[in-house]
Structure formats: structure tokens, C-alpha cells
Amino acid sequence: MREAPGADAGERAEGPARRGALLVVGDVVTDVVARHRGPLASGTDTAAVIRTLPGGAGANVACWAAHWGCADVRLLGRVGADGVAWHERELIGCGVRPRLVVDPEASTGTVICLVDTGSAAERTFLTDSGASLRLGPGDWSDSLLDGVGRLHLSGYLLFSASGRALVRTAVTSARARGVPVSLDPASAGFLPELGADRFLALVRGVDVLLPSRDEACLLTGLPDGADAAAALSRHVPLVVAKQGADGALVARDGAVTGRVPAVAATPRDTTGAGDAFTGAFLAALLAGAGPGVAAAEGCRAGARAVERVGGRPSAAADAEVPAADLSTPTGGSGATTARPRPGDRTAPVTGPAAGAGRPAPRTDPRPAG
């Protein structure tokens, strides 16, 4: 593994500090979290504590960014008519301004999270992505970038044709405006079908890649997390690789430039820990932190997340104060608007920039299927 001499913080500046909103594009799903102890009993009952919670990697990142002090966080997602009101309410409660396209046919995605409380709270997902897989270029508008300082894309977008097309559209639009783009690969389970070469081609133009250790190793074929992070940084300018209990690595130009220790925690549920890291990391970058300091904030958020059940932080009223001495970001102005597809309707944007005088969104009189 190549490591930069004396590297310990990864603090090379990212360029001029970016002010403005964080726009997240990604999945909004319903999580059914089942916490059990020990192996599942095949063919019979296993006692569990079961809760239904709002989730989705993209939505979780947005909520953690708002919780970590980002003043203006916006989310573009796609849900079914069955869940739009609840998901919108939960996102607003976390301090996020949602733009939810309502799919006239597909239901809101559902993920069953099996959490073994006797095995470091590790989780296994059963995923029905539902309407989130149908998010596509028709849901995008360049005006979504008005007032935006950073764009973040959930890697789950890469696992459908429409999502991949949306990634290309959004990255092109962001680059034309000089807005930096980050992406989280999202799932080591789905990446093998997509393939490493295809993934790397799809993320051209992305400025920051935020893989887990497993995802980085899978994408490079290397067994060591540091080697994998260094290799990925030859394709993407900045790689911040989450290492679980080993903290995080910062890599640039084919070398690891920073190692960030983990924060001690007693895990109850590891669902959403990576999303918490990403949300806090992006909030810190927007507040003017360098990658090393931002990664340390990500580790703090990840530790906080594993001590909770579910992938979201607590209510916005209990928002976290970052440990780092970061300047307060200035929220961008302008409403987040998206073009619905024919037959779609959209949940309204709420908040101070919702703007009077906007034409009402088109509605579909047909019941959702």
C-alpha cells in the first residue's frame, strides 16, 4: 500500500469553501426493523422486537446532515401514494426539505432489517426498492441546483436503468454549475451484478466517493481496505473509506493521506451507520472543514447511530453540535422543484423557500396500483 509520508489528517484543502444547500438524490423507503438474539430458528418462530421506521440511504444521509448542523438540506426521492404523507412528515421533522415524486403505480420501497442483537448488532437486509427504483431523469430539473453547494447521490440509483440515467444527468448538470458531487456506493450486495468497471465508468465526474471497506475491496479486487481506498483514489479525486470499528481512511492520488480513529460506542443496531457518517461528513465539508476533520465528524455520527434503533437521528430539536470548530453554513435560497413525469404528482416542498405563486403540481386521478 502506498501511503503519503507523515499522513495523519488528510487535510489538503478542497478548494474554496462551498456555501449553500446540500441536495441529496436517492432512496426513501420504509424500514421494518426486527431485532432478535442469535440465529433465526428455521421453520418456526424466533422472538423479536419489531418496529416500522422511515428509512432509505438517501433519506438517512439527508436527515443526519441536517442533524449535524447543515442549515439547508434538500432531498429528491420517489415514493408510492401509500407512504408519501408519512415520509414527508418524518423528513420535515428531521429538518429536511423533501421533494417527493409520487409514483402512480409502484408502492413505496420496503426494507426488512434483521438485526442480531447477540452479534455486535450486525444487520441483514431484505430489500424491495419499490418506487425508488423508478426515480429517473424525468424527475430532475436543473433548478434543483439553485442555491446548492454540494450534490450527493445515493449509490442505490446505480442499480436501475432509470437511476443510472439520472446519475448521468445530475452529474452533468452539477459539473456545468461547478457544484461538487459525492456518491456512496450503497450496497456490497448489489455491486457484483453491476460490476466494478461499469461502476467506475458511471462515477466519472464524481468528486468524492464514500465506500465502506467491503465496497472498496469489492470494487478493486484488493483484500486490504487501505490498498483498496488508495486504488479507488486513482479514479475519483477524493476517497473517504468507512472502516467500521477501525474508523475511516482518506485517500487521494493513489495514496492514503489520512487515518481517522473510530469513536467508541455500544451498538444496538448498525442500520444506517454509514449513512450517518456520510451525512455528518458532508455537513462538515459545507461548514468549511477539510476531509480529515469532516471524517472525524462522520465517525462521531456513526458512533451515535449504532447506539440507536433505525437509520435516522432523533428529532431536529435535538440537533448535534459538531465537535470541530466549524463556521455556520449559509443556506441557499430558491425552492427545490422537479418536473414530474406524465401521470405523476409531487409532494410539495415546505419551508421558507416554498414560494407563493407556484403552479400546483399535476395530480393523477387514478388510484395508485
Side-chain angles (χ1 to χ4, degrees):
M1 176 197 67
R2 183 170 159 242
E3 188 156 345
D8 60 2
E11 282 309 292
R12 193 174 88 196
E14 280 296 280
R18 299 289 310 189
R19 300 305 189 205
L22 172 65
L23 172 62
V24 180
V25 180
D27 44 319
V28 180
V29 305
T30 300
D31 285 346
V32 180
V33 182
R35 300 177 71 240
H36 62 94
R37 180 173 289 278
L40 297 175
S42 179
T44 185
D45 295 324
T46 299
V49 176
I50 300 174
R51 294 176 63 186
T52 299
L53 300 166
N60 292 346
V61 167
C63 289
W64 279 101
H67 188 71
W68 226 256
C70 189
D72 187 352
V73 183
R74 311 171 189 181
L75 173 70
L76 173 65
R78 193 173 181 90
V79 297
D82 56 324
V84 60
W86 178 58
H87 279 291
E88 184 185 43
R89 184 170 62 249
E90 292 292 328
L91 288 162
I92 292 169
C94 282
V96 175
R97 299 174 57 206
R99 178 66 174 178
L100 301 182
V101 179
V102 182
D103 195 292
E105 299 175 3
S107 298
T108 302
T110 301
V111 176
I112 298 175
C113 311
L114 304 177
V115 181
D116 185 350
T117 61
S119 180
E122 280 300 329
R123 74 283 188 270
T124 300
F125 296 145
L126 302 174
T127 302
D128 175 0
S129 296
S132 64
L133 276 182
R134 292 159 61 92
L135 191 64
D139 302 320
W140 177 263
S141 167
D142 287 348
S143 64
L144 285 165
L145 292 173
D146 291 349
V148 167
R150 284 189 173 272
L151 170 65
H152 178 72
L153 304 172
S154 168
Y156 280 105
L157 293 169
L158 299 177
F159 305 131
S160 71
S162 62
R164 290 188 290 272
L166 174 56
V167 166
R168 288 190 288 267
T169 298
V171 170
T172 299
S173 181
R175 288 185 68 81
R177 291 200 182 198
V179 175
V181 183
S182 56
L183 184 140
D184 187 326
S187 174
F190 291 151
L191 279 173
E193 184 177 349
L194 181 68
D197 290 342
R198 195 176 183 194
F199 174 90
L200 293 172
L202 286 164
V203 300
R204 286 185 190 130
V206 168
D207 302 279
V208 183
L209 188 66
L210 292 138
S212 68
R213 174 165 43 203
D214 288 347
E215 291 158 359
C217 290
L218 191 155
L219 288 168
T220 60
L222 298 172
D224 180 77
D227 290 343
L232 284 174
S233 71
R234 297 187 184 97
H235 300 274
V236 178
L238 175 65
V239 173
V240 180
K242 296 163 279 188
Q243 306 291 297
D246 294 325
L249 300 171
V250 179
R252 299 177 185 269
D253 303 321
V256 171
T257 60
R259 292 176 177 270
V260 180
V263 174
T266 302
R268 295 181 64 205
D269 176 7
T270 56
T271 304
D275 302 332
F277 179 102
T278 296
F281 174 84
L282 294 172
L285 284 187
L286 274 167
V293 171
E297 291 300 315
C299 287
R300 286 184 64 223
R304 180 68 58 86
V306 301
E307 295 184 329
R308 298 177 50 79
V309 175
R312 300 268 180 93
S314 54
D318 302 319
E320 184 73 15
V321 177
D325 182 14
L326 306 177
S327 58
T328 302
T330 303
S333 61
T336 52
T337 58
R339 293 194 311 272
R341 297 176 185 173
D344 292 345
R345 56 192 177 88
T346 58
V349 174
T350 61
R358 180 180 303 139
R362 178 183 295 180
T363 60
D364 186 347
R366 298 173 296 170

